[in-house]
Amino acid sequence: MAGKRTRATIKDVARRAGVSPTTVSHAFSGNGTVAAETAERVREAARELGYRPDTVARGLRSSRLGVLGLVVRPLDPSDTAFLEGVDYFLRFAGSAALAAVERGYGLMLVPDPTRADAPAVGLACDGFLITEPVENDPLITMLDRECVPFLGVGRDPARPASPDYLDLGTGRIVAEVLDHLAAAGGTRVAAVLGTDRNEWNLDAERAYLDWVGVRGQQPLAVRRAEVAGEAGGREAGEELFALDSPPDAVYCQTGRHAAGVLAAARARGLAVPGDVRIACGADSDSEHTRSGVPPITAVDLRPVRLARTAVAVLVDRVEGIEPPVPGPAEYELIVRGSTRGQAVG
């Protein structure tokens, strides 16, 4: 009786094609850069071996669910309504879900599995994406202990040497936005920062303090919780514009804060950008920035591309492949009427 035929694996295809398992993975997923000739060689080797990517079937045989977990940290202290209108998270989650399906996985948005009230199914995910891990993130501690693959979108500030995150380049982004405010005529630049203890806020604060220090300007920073939204931004703006020497430019960490600062400026009869320039930095471009009067200069963090990269890296880790983590994420500064053009008062 003939022996049972074993199913070809990604490593078998790699050996037949003379490439690495990572190259095979990228040839089928469309992620990474694979030359057309190499991709065709991989597909031909797969046809010869009868290999077909089937992550779900492989997962069932190895007691996997075939599901990735997405933990969105800003949901922890608030609720889903907080994310409505925030393009970054909505675009990131949608793109991540599509990218996961293309790799044969499902994507499930789950609350932090370390919480006592978290559903048990969240613990069964094959790997986790964690957006904006908090300092000493308890989920990362648990996943490290249990040897569950994960990837932070942003780093845990308490683990600066960890390789398990995508670099958002927050400090670089903030410095570029501050340079733009100065180039637009800002001489006394204030900052409205967030309060969560994550890389996004801590790196933004550090970048702002470094920037004003180099220019000999005294720091002028106020903090408002992200969940305070536009009302928090307006309160921050009223505080800043009531000073004896008010700022003539304001960097804001979120789109909602920026919209609130704009409302406070206009309520005081300040022309934007004539009297004060306003820009949103490390948040992603959103409806709050696009619909302002004038529209607010902002940064597009390109969450669709970032999500696809994150899923590709995580799936490779789940499947035992260890590709190098990509470099800093790409972004685009979108200059609008709040820092250039005719002033609106």
Side-chain angles (χ1 to χ4, degrees):
M1 182 177 177
K4 183 178 179 180
R5 183 180 179 184
T6 59
R7 184 185 179 99
T9 69
I10 193 170
K11 292 182 179 179
D12 296 328
V13 176
R15 281 193 293 269
R16 175 67 66 92
V19 298
S20 69
T22 299
T23 300
V24 175
S25 175
H26 288 170
F28 284 111
S29 69
N31 295 305
T33 302
V34 179
E37 181 180 343
T38 302
E40 179 54 35
R41 191 165 75 247
V42 168
R43 288 191 287 268
E44 178 61 28
R47 286 193 291 269
E48 292 172 357
L49 294 171
Y51 172 82
R52 179 172 60 87
D54 189 352
T55 304
V56 173
R58 291 200 304 272
L60 291 173
R61 288 193 296 275
S62 61
S63 300
R64 291 182 187 164
L65 278 182
V67 174
L68 307 177
L70 172 61
V71 176
V72 178
R73 272 288 175 228
L75 281 177
D76 290 347
S78 55
D79 56 39
T80 55
F82 172 67
L83 299 186
E84 293 178 3
V86 181
D87 291 16
Y88 175 82
F89 292 110
L90 299 179
R91 292 168 63 196
F92 183 94
S95 178
L98 292 175
V101 168
E102 290 172 6
R103 295 293 297 267
Y105 287 80
L107 182 78
M108 181 165 57
L109 179 63
V110 297
D112 179 359
T114 66
R115 285 169 37 181
D117 61 346
V121 69
L123 291 169
C125 294
D126 302 323
F128 287 84
L129 291 178
I130 309 167
T131 67
E132 297 299 342
V134 295
E135 194 170 33
N136 289 307
D137 199 295
L139 179 54
I140 290 179
T141 300
M142 184 193 78
L143 297 176
D144 262 336
R145 183 178 63 246
E146 301 295 331
C147 298
V148 177
F150 69 90
L151 187 71
V153 183
R155 75 177 190 282
D156 178 340
R159 297 175 168 93
S162 170
D164 301 316
Y165 74 96
L166 295 182
D167 182 4
L168 299 179
T170 301
R172 183 176 86 256
I173 293 171
V174 172
E176 181 171 336
V177 176
L178 293 171
D179 284 343
H180 170 71
L181 286 170
T187 59
R188 181 169 164 77
V189 183
V192 179
L193 305 172
T195 58
D196 290 347
R197 298 286 296 179
N198 55 31
E199 173 194 31
W200 182 56
N201 283 321
L202 297 177
D203 281 10
E205 180 177 359
R206 187 177 301 112
Y208 172 74
L209 294 176
D210 288 346
W211 189 88
V212 295
V214 168
R215 286 156 182 78
Q217 178 192 314
Q218 287 298 310
L220 184 56
V222 295
R223 293 167 182 79
R224 291 297 183 276
E226 289 82 348
V227 295
E230 189 169 342
R234 181 161 186 156
E235 181 184 85
E238 290 169 351
E239 178 181 336
L240 290 170
F241 299 136
L243 295 172
D244 291 338
S245 298
D248 57 10
V250 183
Y251 165 88
C252 297
Q253 188 75 337
T254 78
R256 282 189 169 99
H257 285 167
V261 170
L262 175 61
R266 298 196 65 188
R268 294 183 70 88
L270 297 174
V272 180
D275 297 317
V276 61
R277 301 123 186 101
I278 301 170
C280 174
D283 193 16
S284 190
D285 189 31
S286 69
E287 184 60 29
H288 301 95
T289 52
R290 291 191 297 270
S291 63
V293 181
I296 300 170
T297 292
V299 171
D300 182 357
L301 297 179
R302 299 186 175 176
V304 170
R305 182 177 301 180
L306 181 63
R308 296 189 68 85
T309 299
V311 168
V313 173
L314 179 60
V315 168
D316 281 348
R317 290 184 168 198
V318 168
E319 297 185 349
I321 303 169
E322 290 293 334
V325 175
E330 297 180 5
Y331 66 93
E332 178 186 4
L333 176 61
I334 303 173
V335 178
R336 297 196 175 104
S338 66
T339 58
R340 75 174 182 192
Q342 185 175 1
V344 177

